[in-house]
Amino acid sequence: MKIKCFGIAKDITSTETLNIKDHAIVTVSDLRQWLMTNYEAFANVKSCMVAVNQEYANDNLEISDLDEIAIIPPVAGG
Amino acid sequence: MDNKIDILISPKLLSIDRCYDFVVNEGCGGICLFVGTVRNRNKNEDVTHLEFEAYKEMAVKEMNKIAEECHLKFKAKKVAIHHRTGVVSITEKAVIIAVSTIHRKNAFLACEYAIDRLKESVPIWKKEYLENGSYWVNARP
């Protein structure tokens, strides 16, 4: 599945789009866990949201390769 | 195209006139504009400039939701929300919110509500550049 990265998440992963091949990722919560395991620097960042199909998603939402998924670090517009 | 709402995310200079001209209408006696500009100091450090990044498609959706809430909660007739992206210099406009209502009070309330909500929910990020480095605002605990 492809994961869009913005702001500090883009700096941590060094890419705008993460390409993850891990069938153990079923829910948003699994994705969060995968990110923490694979990129320790997320431990030093305030909690990120995850957006699925351009809407903020709950941890128990199921995700698939067909979804547009993004890591949303704490926003700072305005 | 909903002619009650004008949303823009752009790397170009924002225009107060464009926002005002969108919201002005013959049924409204009050127009409130909020302009967020880039200042030169933050947390006792000199800021050289900011850089904004947006998840544009989602940010437009979230900004539309906020504008719709202004219509529902404050009876706003028209709402414009414009936000800059890319490098933004000191004193330049980072965001403009314009709201028109029949009477002034709801225009003030809607404008404040809109900027507060924007800062909470719209997926836009700001990198602050100082003399000796840069950092993503709000990102660290």
Side-chain angles (χ1 to χ4, degrees):
Chain A
M1 67 184 49
K2 291 193 172 73
I3 315 291
K4 291 174 184 281
C5 302
F6 296 96
I8 199 166
K10 189 168 73 179
D11 287 358
I12 289 172
T13 60
S14 304
T15 181
E16 287 183 8
T17 310
L18 267 179
N19 222 325
I20 305 178
K21 292 187 178 66
D22 186 337
H23 296 295
I25 299 177
V26 178
T27 64
V28 167
S29 178
D30 298 334
L31 172 62
R32 284 181 186 283
Q33 197 55 53
W34 188 94
L35 289 167
M36 294 297 260
T37 306
N38 287 273
Y39 295 95
E40 288 177 3
F42 276 113
N44 303 319
V45 175
K46 275 194 210 162
S47 178
C48 291
M49 301 287 283
V50 172
V52 178
N53 301 323
Q54 301 172 6
E55 299 282 347
Y56 289 107
N58 291 324
D59 274 358
N60 54 8
L61 187 72
E62 293 192 7
I63 48 180
S64 82
D65 291 353
L66 300 175
D67 291 316
E68 179 178 321
I69 302 166
I71 307 168
I72 311 285
V75 301
Chain B
M1 188 70 187
D2 190 339
N3 65 1
K4 292 187 305 182
I5 296 173
D6 183 39
I7 302 295
L8 178 75
I9 295 176
S10 169
K12 296 180 184 163
L13 287 176
L14 301 183
S15 164
I16 292 172
D17 282 347
R18 184 180 152 181
C19 293
Y20 179 84
D21 291 345
F22 178 80
V23 300
V24 70
N25 71 95
E26 58 193 16
C28 287
I31 291 176
C32 190
L33 283 119
F34 172 79
V35 182
T37 57
V38 179
R39 68 172 185 273
N40 64 359
R41 292 277 290 176
N42 195 23
K43 294 173 182 165
N44 288 324
E45 299 219 62
D46 288 327
V47 177
T48 60
H49 62 280
L50 300 181
E51 188 169 357
F52 287 93
E53 181 181 339
Y55 179 5
K56 194 169 177 181
E57 301 84 354
M58 182 174 169
V60 166
K61 279 191 181 179
E62 290 294 319
M63 288 156 81
N64 264 296
K65 283 183 197 169
I66 294 168
E68 289 289 357
E69 287 166 13
C70 287
H71 293 303
L72 290 172
K73 288 176 188 286
F74 305 104
K75 299 187 174 71
K77 293 290 180 190
K78 292 197 166 198
V79 179
I81 307 178
H82 291 192
H83 205 296
R84 266 295 282 285
T85 52
V87 172
V88 185
S89 304
I90 305 299
T91 74
E92 283 185 357
K93 297 177 279 294
V95 61
I96 303 173
I97 294 173
V99 181
S100 58
T101 56
I102 297 173
H103 303 294
R104 70 183 181 282
K105 183 159 189 181
N106 273 12
F108 282 117
L109 293 173
C111 210
E112 182 171 30
Y113 177 82
I115 185 63
D116 289 349
R117 290 278 295 115
L118 181 145
K119 283 173 172 283
E120 284 169 4
S121 77
V122 176
I124 294 177
W125 300 271
K126 148 165 70 192
K127 198 170 206 177
E128 192 169 277
Y129 286 81
L130 310 169
E131 298 292 349
N132 55 358
S134 64
Y135 71 101
W136 289 104
V137 175
N138 290 352
R140 303 284 182 190

